Amino acid sequence: MKSSLETLSPTRVRLTVEVPFDEVRPSMDAAYKRIATQVNIPGFRKGKVPARIIEQRFGRAVVLEEALNEAVPAAYDAAVIEQGIAPLGQPELKIDQDLGEMAEDDPVVFTAEVDVRPEVDLPDYKGMKVEVADVEVTDADIDEQLDELRGRFATVTPVERPAADGDMVVVDVLGTIDGDRVEEFSGAGMTFEVGAGNMIPGFDDAVRGLSEGESATFAHTPADGEFADKSVDLEVTVKGVRERELPPVDEDFAQLASEFDTVDELREDLRERIGRVKLVEQGIEARDKLAERLLNEVDIEVPEGVLADMVEQHFTDGHGDEAHRAEFAEETRGTLRSQFLLDAIADAEEVEVGQEEISAWIVQQAPRYGMTPDQFIQALVQANQLQNAVGDVRRGKAMTVVLESAEITDASGRPVDLSALDVEEVGADEDDVEVDEPDDDEESPVVDGGDTEPESGAKG
């Protein structure tokens, strides 16, 4: 097999591949056998029709076409390896011959146009300087976390009054679009804390002030998912209002709710944990600023065909107007540029991903999709996304190289030391892998996930 490469643009190439007929012959033999099992010719048993009879009856071009369906993709894969290119998406294959006019031993010649990962002229990505915001752990931060912990041990008493912030309220929710029930936005017996901010926008406002038996209706337009950009009417009926009484913060509470004997010990533990969370926030801010600066310093072209396919796939359900499509396309363009940049850094640093790192990534990501690690890896395999997961981990490690070598200071000029953190976790951006979420045991989409808070040495 011979191959040559022509660069059509920084993101697209054309391969010309010549395959000697001897390399096609095994596929021809297999094609004769397949055709023989599919046709009925008088005088011959099915599957026993000679090759010359098949050619006489159907023409050699039919057999060649059948054979090339097998031989050409294999030859294309070999040419990709030979030319050392990194294809993106499916190639446009074209056979440059009239199969009906091909002589017995003529080589098969075809071309393949395909988008490729662009070459990236890397800037100096080590030793970069970046400034992040000052952080401080205040008594108010600690009090907030203490109140959260107290809430886990609160007593709840039914009351006959309108719901107010801090109350636990039981509600039934009916979601409809044009009068038709939408199961994803409906549910019975849901319990939530009014004012906690864990519900979709408008939910707290609708329930606040309602008493048991009263209802309110409001509209919600999801930003993504199956019902993106569609107005959903939500009717919320209060089934019960329960007042919470928080326990006092004393030594008994410290011993009940944590592993500590005194309130001072508990507060100090919370201070350390909140400080760690804020340090993670500084690390993420540094990561994002470094990534943005790098992208501003390098010109990376995005394959328009790949971008168009990603946009089309995202909007296959027909949701979204032109403005939404344009916004998504611009976001996706930025994501692709970031991926190409980090891939280039990973190549330059010869970054490799081990099995343990993939396993750790799967354990970390699985809860986001409401799956166990085993279910998540099965979903990745079924969606043919496992290799994309490896790429995501590899890019995270590449960003870690940049982050670890950077000089990070806060707004007051103090050095920020991230060594106490798992810097690889900070270096990893939100993953680009998408898998189908399970249908079973899903939480209602009216509930918002909220932000991650520090875990204390608490019970409950």
Side-chain angles (χ1 to χ4, degrees):
M1 188 199 75
K2 300 177 183 178
S3 68
S4 60
L5 183 67
E6 178 185 357
T7 299
L8 303 178
S9 76
T11 61
R12 194 165 179 83
V13 298
R14 179 189 292 126
L15 284 167
T16 300
V17 184
E18 180 179 315
V19 185
F21 190 78
D22 284 344
E23 296 182 20
V24 180
R25 196 178 303 279
S27 297
M28 285 287 288
D29 294 339
Y32 282 122
K33 291 180 181 179
R34 284 194 298 272
I35 294 173
T37 62
Q38 298 168 1
V39 299
N40 291 311
I41 297 180
F44 297 95
R45 286 184 298 165
K46 203 166 188 177
K48 301 296 183 180
V49 183
R52 60 182 179 79
I53 300 299
I54 292 175
E55 284 196 15
Q56 290 173 2
R57 180 63 65 93
F58 302 103
R60 187 167 180 268
V62 171
V63 184
L64 265 172
E65 183 176 352
E66 177 78 12
L68 294 182
N69 286 336
E70 175 184 286
V72 168
Y76 165 76
D77 290 342
V80 164
I81 295 173
E82 182 177 81
Q83 295 296 332
I85 60 174
L88 301 171
Q90 295 300 313
E92 294 181 9
L93 298 171
K94 180 182 178 182
I95 297 175
D96 294 337
Q97 295 150 290
D98 183 343
L99 299 184
E101 300 296 327
M102 283 183 61
E104 178 70 25
D105 294 324
D106 281 352
V108 174
V109 180
F110 69 90
T111 59
E113 289 191 17
V114 66
D115 289 324
V116 293
R117 192 176 72 186
E119 295 291 332
V120 178
D121 186 12
L122 285 173
D124 187 3
Y125 55 84
K126 290 188 177 180
M128 299 176 67
K129 296 182 179 180
V130 64
E131 180 182 291
V132 296
D134 289 335
V135 298
E136 180 184 1
V137 180
T138 66
D139 288 341
D141 294 328
I142 298 173
D143 291 340
E144 181 180 350
Q145 289 301 307
L146 268 178
D147 287 343
E148 171 68 22
L149 186 56
R150 293 168 70 200
R152 302 181 193 177
F153 293 88
T155 56
V156 181
T157 305
V159 292
E160 295 182 1
R161 61 165 175 77
D165 285 350
D167 289 338
M168 301 301 296
V169 179
V170 182
V171 297
D172 291 345
V173 184
L174 174 63
T176 59
I177 295 180
D178 297 330
D180 295 328
R181 179 184 176 95
V182 180
E183 292 297 336
E184 287 80 351
F185 288 90
S186 302
M190 294 175 53
T191 301
F192 76 101
E193 179 184 346
V194 181
N198 294 328
M199 311 300 283
I200 61 175
F203 205 100
D204 284 331
D205 292 337
V207 173
R208 191 181 291 111
L210 296 183
S211 298
E212 182 176 345
E214 294 182 334
S215 300
T217 301
F218 69 101
H220 170 64
T221 303
D224 50 29
E226 180 181 355
F227 300 98
D229 301 324
K230 297 180 180 178
S231 180
V232 182
D233 294 320
L234 295 171
E235 181 182 5
V236 185
T237 301
V238 175
K239 309 301 289 185
V241 180
R242 300 167 182 172
E243 185 176 77
R244 295 196 312 161
E245 182 178 351
L246 302 180
V249 180
D250 53 21
E251 311 306 305
D252 290 338
F253 171 73
Q255 294 168 24
L256 171 68
S258 75
E259 62 189 40
F260 304 106
D261 294 326
T262 68
V263 174
D264 287 343
E265 289 176 316
L266 175 56
R267 290 182 67 91
E268 185 58 32
D269 180 70
L270 287 172
R271 182 181 299 277
E272 291 178 3
R273 293 176 183 274
I274 295 171
R276 181 179 176 85
V277 169
K278 290 180 177 289
L279 183 60
V280 170
E281 292 172 354
Q282 285 184 313
I284 292 174
E285 182 183 357
R287 177 202 69 192
D288 292 344
K289 286 185 173 180
L290 289 168
E292 181 180 5
R293 186 179 304 173
L294 283 170
L295 284 173
N296 289 336
E297 291 181 4
V298 65
D299 183 23
I300 303 176
E301 292 199 34
V302 171
E304 294 301 324
V306 172
L307 177 61
D309 288 345
M310 294 178 71
V311 173
E312 193 62 33
Q313 183 178 3
H314 183 76
F315 291 98
T316 50
D317 60 0
H319 79 275
D321 54 20
E322 287 304 315
H324 188 186
R325 291 176 70 96
E327 180 182 6
F328 178 79
E330 192 59 30
E331 291 174 354
T332 304
R333 184 184 298 277
T335 298
L336 289 171
R337 292 184 71 241
S338 178
Q339 288 182 4
F340 296 146
L341 173 65
L342 292 176
D343 284 339
I345 294 175
D347 291 344
E349 296 292 330
E350 299 182 348
V351 172
E352 296 183 356
V353 177
Q355 183 61 47
E356 290 184 0
E357 292 167 315
I358 289 295
S359 298
W361 182 89
I362 289 171
V363 169
Q364 179 188 19
Q365 296 295 325
R368 293 185 58 203
Y369 296 91
M371 302 183 193
T372 66
D374 286 343
Q375 290 172 332
F376 186 53
I377 194 170
Q378 289 175 10
L380 288 173
V381 172
Q382 291 172 1
N384 198 28
Q385 292 285 300
L386 193 55
Q387 193 57 43
N388 288 353
V390 174
D392 188 60
V393 175
R394 189 170 183 261
R395 294 182 195 109
K397 294 185 69 174
M399 191 64 221
T400 298
V401 172
V402 178
L403 194 60
E404 287 181 330
S405 68
E407 295 182 24
I408 307 172
T409 57
D410 64 17
S412 298
R414 296 168 297 194
V416 176
D417 183 8
L418 302 180
S419 61
L421 303 178
D422 181 355
V423 184
E424 286 196 6
E425 184 175 345
V426 175
D429 204 345
E430 291 187 2
D431 62 283
D432 304 302
V433 179
E434 296 183 359
V435 297
D436 293 330
E437 298 190 31
D439 294 326
D440 298 333
D441 301 324
E442 287 186 335
E443 293 186 355
S444 170
V446 298
V447 180
D448 191 2
D451 296 327
T452 301
E453 297 180 349
E455 296 181 0
S456 71
K459 305 172 183 175

